[in-house]
Amino acid sequence: MRIHLWKILLLPLLSSAFYFGISTASAQSELSDVIEEIMVMARRRDEALKDVPVSVTAFTAEDIASAGIELPHDAIALTPNVTVIQVQNAGNSFVTIRGISQGRNTEPSVATLVDGVLMSNPAQFNQELYDIQQIEILRGPQGAVYGRNAIGGAILINTKKPTDEFEGRVTAGYDSGPGYKIQGVVSGPIGESDAWKFRAAASYKDTDGYLNNVFLGEEADPYEDLSGRLRLLYEPSDSFSADFRASFSNLETQALYYQIRESLPEPEDPLFGFFPHPDPFNESFGHGAGDPDSVNDTSQLIRNNNAGVNERDLTNVSLKLDWNTDAGTFTSITSYDTLEELLTGDAWDFLPKPESAGETWFAILGGIDQNQSQFLDLDTFSQEFRFTSTADSRARWILGAYGIATDRFIATGAMADTGQGVFPVFYQPRGNFPYDFATDPVNPQVSYLADSQDNFAWAVFGELAYDVTDALELAFSLRYDEDERENTTETPTAFLATAPGFPQEGATGEVRKNTWDDWQPKLTARYIASDNITWYGSLSRGFRSGGFNQTGVETVALANGFVGVGDLFDQETTESIEVGFKGIFAD
């Protein structure tokens, strides 16, 4: 049985040595106030959750602690009309909001911002959540305000700010993996000055895993993560503040431990006698007795002969500057991200080498069992400027501009599985094509695709909200996005895909370019009927840029009978109508 003791009981260590206490009565009073008036940033300014005309699920620090939220997936599991599927590796999190999802290695369907900084790639999404102040999940297109990739919604994650007084905390826990976790934070002023404050937080989690690979006799999902964050806050006056944030995350786990239910050949099939596959529902072959007609049946056990590797390193450095004036606040957010992720493991059909269909095809048609590897290297620089008017006027507005430059390299390869493990590929294939056992007898390269991509996107946006009466507000938002992508084929010529009846696709060094752009308007009406009841409605349009698959994907798809898969995929737009109300009932 899988037990997370740290989700049931976190053991506070050294807390009393760090905290400067407040009375129990005061704490209860403050908690009550938070519950009654939760403030959110759904429209980039502080507003009461019960009044904001957006479908929002908000988790305060108290909610996060009581619900045991440790990953974004935990918050999503508690949010209506939002789901997430974690497949293949840590970097593949498919978030679906109101039916809008994404494809592998494409732009996400949701804009995720940490302390106002937009995540540039979906591979960054699945991270440990520690020392978090609030999480807001916004449903419906939010591109007009939150921009890039907010076609389905937005997720806002805000970490805790540095404090005026010195404080610290250490928590630890143990699970049945076996495994353990320890997290710590320290915060307070720097020196004698009231202007400088800091907050440093770190998290370490290590567990052996819970899913047993019966072929290798070890767990398939060990997990080790070390993450840290440093925030420096400079507030020399009420009119200026500088917020510097640096963070890193180093993850080591495994991946690609799929369980494939494939149909066995019928007795009349001429290949029936050649397939060595055992009965997949016979427990004597390491499988459970399951229902082959149910997609939810997970009784078939994990039996990969390659354990797989998933290593991911993330870093982020950002600087947020705020200048407050009588007219409003001018904000500058500068951010730089790096990401490297390595993935290796079994390939289709994810069965032990002696039983794999590839081994049979090798005997009769020259096929071979395979394993696989993928490498992703990403660097991103982004800049946002925004002016937000004061909130106490009848007309409130936001004007801004945003730009992001991305440099991405991705390589994907399949190798011949000789039973000696998987040797990863990076910027070059391991050997010659076709697979050359003479020069590389251990793990010769069968296929290899590599592309580099330069992407520059920019946008301008604005919002105007006006109180027609004390109860009725009308708001109009508008954003224009332009996304230019340049994709260079890095695959050596010998490895470029071919298929019978189709010419070789692409050439080494070939450059493909395309630009996608669109407008994202949003019209919102809000009527506050009473202190406890708010009605609202909105018309909105969402946009997600197109992009490039790796050169050769189209030919490979055609060779395998899949029509409609191209090397280029077009932009997407969605139009949404939403009507709702919010209320506070029964005290």
Side-chain angles (χ1 to χ4, degrees), residues 121-396:
N121 190 277
Q124 300 169 287
F125 180 75
N126 183 24
Q127 297 186 45
E128 292 289 323
L129 296 179
Y130 57 98
D131 200 38
I132 303 298
Q133 180 63 39
Q134 187 158 300
I135 301 171
E136 302 171 29
I137 301 180
L138 286 57
R139 293 176 291 275
Q142 306 296 328
V145 176
Y146 283 104
R148 185 176 173 86
N149 298 323
I151 186 171
I155 299 176
L156 315 180
I157 301 172
N158 294 310
T159 65
K160 293 183 178 180
K161 291 184 176 181
T163 54
D164 295 325
E165 302 291 336
F166 181 77
E167 67 176 39
R169 182 183 69 252
V170 176
T171 59
Y174 178 84
D175 81 350
S176 62
Y180 63 95
K181 178 181 73 172
I182 184 168
Q183 295 180 345
V185 60
V186 61
S187 177
I190 300 177
E192 300 298 326
S193 171
D194 293 334
W196 286 96
K197 304 167 192 175
F198 82 100
R199 191 176 190 95
S203 170
Y204 179 73
K205 182 185 289 186
D206 186 7
T207 183
D208 287 352
Y210 314 95
L211 304 175
N212 188 32
N213 185 327
V214 296
F215 185 83
L216 295 178
E218 62 185 37
E219 301 307 316
D221 60 334
Y223 182 95
E224 183 179 9
D225 180 272
L226 175 63
S227 300
R229 184 190 309 116
L230 173 66
R231 288 189 70 175
L232 298 176
L233 184 62
Y234 177 58
E235 295 178 313
S237 66
D238 293 337
S239 61
F240 176 75
S241 67
D243 190 351
F244 171 82
R245 184 175 70 102
S247 65
F248 74 91
S249 174
N250 303 126
L251 172 66
E252 293 185 12
T253 182
Q254 294 182 7
L256 294 167
Y257 40 86
Y258 284 124
Q259 307 164 62
I260 302 298
R261 290 199 173 283
E262 51 178 340
S263 301
L264 299 180
E266 299 294 332
E268 60 270 16
D269 192 320
L271 297 177
F272 177 78
F274 290 99
F275 278 83
H277 291 64
D279 181 352
F281 310 111
N282 186 332
E283 294 188 23
S284 65
F285 287 98
H287 299 260
D291 179 5
D293 297 322
S294 173
V295 296
N296 296 316
D297 178 24
T298 58
S299 61
Q300 182 169 322
L301 302 180
I302 298 170
R303 306 176 65 244
N304 311 118
N305 65 288
N306 292 294
V309 169
N310 188 189
E311 299 175 351
R312 187 188 64 182
D313 295 323
L314 306 174
T315 62
N316 170 257
V317 178
S318 65
L319 178 63
K320 180 174 179 281
L321 305 175
D322 286 307
W323 288 270
N324 298 317
T325 69
D326 293 338
T329 301
F330 178 78
T331 301
S332 167
I333 300 177
T334 307
S335 178
Y336 177 71
D337 292 273
T338 69
L339 182 155
E340 280 193 7
E341 185 174 30
L342 175 66
L343 171 69
T344 74
D346 259 356
W348 177 267
D349 51 6
F350 302 97
L351 286 173
K353 177 177 165 57
E355 302 171 16
S356 175
E359 291 297 292
T360 301
W361 283 106
F362 177 67
I364 57 179
L365 293 178
I368 192 168
D369 195 23
Q370 299 178 19
N371 49 42
Q372 59 181 306
S373 174
Q374 179 173 286
F375 174 65
L376 174 64
D377 186 3
L378 184 79
D379 293 273
T380 302
F381 176 82
S382 65
Q383 176 66 56
E384 179 176 340
F385 296 111
R386 184 173 71 248
F387 197 96
T388 306
S389 70
T390 57
D392 54 4
S393 60
R394 196 178 190 105
R396 299 167 299 280

Side-chain angles (χ1 to χ4, degrees), residues 401-519:
Y402 176 79
I404 181 170
T406 303
D407 184 9
R408 188 191 81 165
F409 175 86
I410 185 170
T412 305
M415 288 78 68
D417 189 354
T418 64
Q420 301 180 67
V422 187
F423 291 80
V425 295
F426 294 95
Y427 293 98
Q428 298 292 333
R430 287 179 50 80
N432 301 320
F433 180 84
Y435 40 91
D436 187 349
F437 285 94
T439 58
D440 186 3
V442 175
N443 202 198
Q445 196 87 43
V446 175
S447 66
Y448 178 83
L449 296 176
D451 292 84
S452 60
Q453 188 173 118
D454 290 324
N455 164 225
F456 180 73
W458 62 273
V460 289
F461 58 92
E463 180 180 70
L464 174 63
Y466 183 74
D467 292 332
V468 179
T469 68
D470 290 341
L472 177 63
E473 177 203 78
L474 295 179
F476 179 70
S477 308
L478 184 63
R479 182 182 181 101
Y480 175 76
D481 283 89
E482 183 174 292
D483 193 341
E484 181 181 287
R485 299 184 182 232
E486 181 179 291
N487 192 89
T488 303
T489 302
E490 307 288 355
T491 308
T493 302
F495 283 94
L496 286 168
T498 60
F502 297 93
Q504 178 172 287
E505 184 175 1
T508 305
E510 178 187 20
V511 177
R512 297 178 291 168
K513 295 182 180 181
N514 208 343
T515 300
W516 293 270
D517 67 296
D518 212 334
W519 293 89

Side-chain angles (χ1 to χ4, degrees), residues 518-537:
D518 212 334
W519 293 89
Q520 296 183 76
K522 184 174 184 178
L523 178 63
T524 305
R526 178 184 68 181
Y527 181 72
I528 301 179
S530 68
D531 289 342
N532 293 335
I533 297 292
T534 298
W535 292 88
Y536 69 95

